[in-house]
């Protein structure tokens, strides 16, 4: 069973930056397309960015040009680098497979953008 653990969230002012990490166990994350998702209270969890096994990247319109998804296969980790953060980026961020057959969700990491 694959498990992921997210970390790196926190409280940051508008315009600030954070780097989120997703560490996998039970399998190599490099063989899967991976995604970062955000959930805010009362709303559906939504995809923010994705990366295929071959390295092709996908971003939502709100994330493009501000966020970068990347992998460090030697560390079995997927990152989300977030710059120029806005209040609407606030939420709990999760990583999981990009597409179907998702694993059980981890605990996520809280990102709060506020002055």
């Amino acid at each position: 069973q694959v498990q992921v653990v997210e970390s790196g969230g926190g409280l940051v002012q508008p315009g600030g930056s954070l780097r989120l990490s997703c560490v996998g166990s039970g399998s190599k994350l490099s063989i899967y397309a991976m995604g970062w998702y955000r959930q805010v209270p009362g709303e559906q969890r939504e995809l923010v960015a994705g990366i295929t096994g071959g390295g092709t990247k996908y971003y939502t319109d709100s994330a493009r040009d501000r966020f970068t998804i990347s992998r460090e296969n030697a560390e079995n980790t997927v990152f989300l680098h977030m710059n120029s953060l806005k209040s609407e980026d606030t939420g709990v961020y999760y990583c999981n497979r990009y597409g179907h057959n998702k694993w059980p969700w981890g605990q996520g990491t809280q990102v709060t953008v506020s002055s």
Side-chain angles (χ1 to χ4, degrees), residues 1-113:
Q1 177 78 349
V2 178
Q3 292 185 316
V4 294
V5 177
E6 303 93 343
S7 64
L11 173 62
V12 63
Q13 294 187 342
S17 299
L18 285 173
R19 187 185 77 164
L20 306 185
S21 300
C22 167
V23 180
S25 62
S27 182
K28 292 182 179 181
L29 298 185
S30 60
I31 65 174
Y32 299 102
M34 294 294 297
W36 279 98
Y37 301 80
R38 177 178 62 236
Q39 188 168 31
V40 297
E43 297 185 14
Q44 296 269 7
R45 190 176 284 133
E46 61 178 5
L47 179 70
V48 174
I51 184 168
T52 67
T56 301
K57 300 176 183 181
Y58 166 83
Y59 300 97
T60 59
D61 288 343
S62 65
R64 191 173 295 114
D65 299 327
R66 298 188 300 125
F67 295 1
T68 302
I69 188 170
S70 64
R71 296 179 183 269
E72 179 50 71
N73 292 335
E75 298 178 3
N76 210 28
T77 300
V78 179
F79 298 104
L80 185 67
H81 303 255
M82 305 190 295
N83 298 317
S84 303
L85 283 161
K86 305 175 181 180
S87 59
E88 52 262 44
D89 297 320
T90 294
V92 181
Y93 284 72
Y94 302 84
C95 71
N96 208 313
R97 292 183 68 173
Y98 175 30
H100 300 295
N101 301 318
K102 288 186 173 51
W103 304 311
W105 294 92
Q107 85 286 351
T109 186
Q110 175 71 48
V111 171
T112 303
V113 184

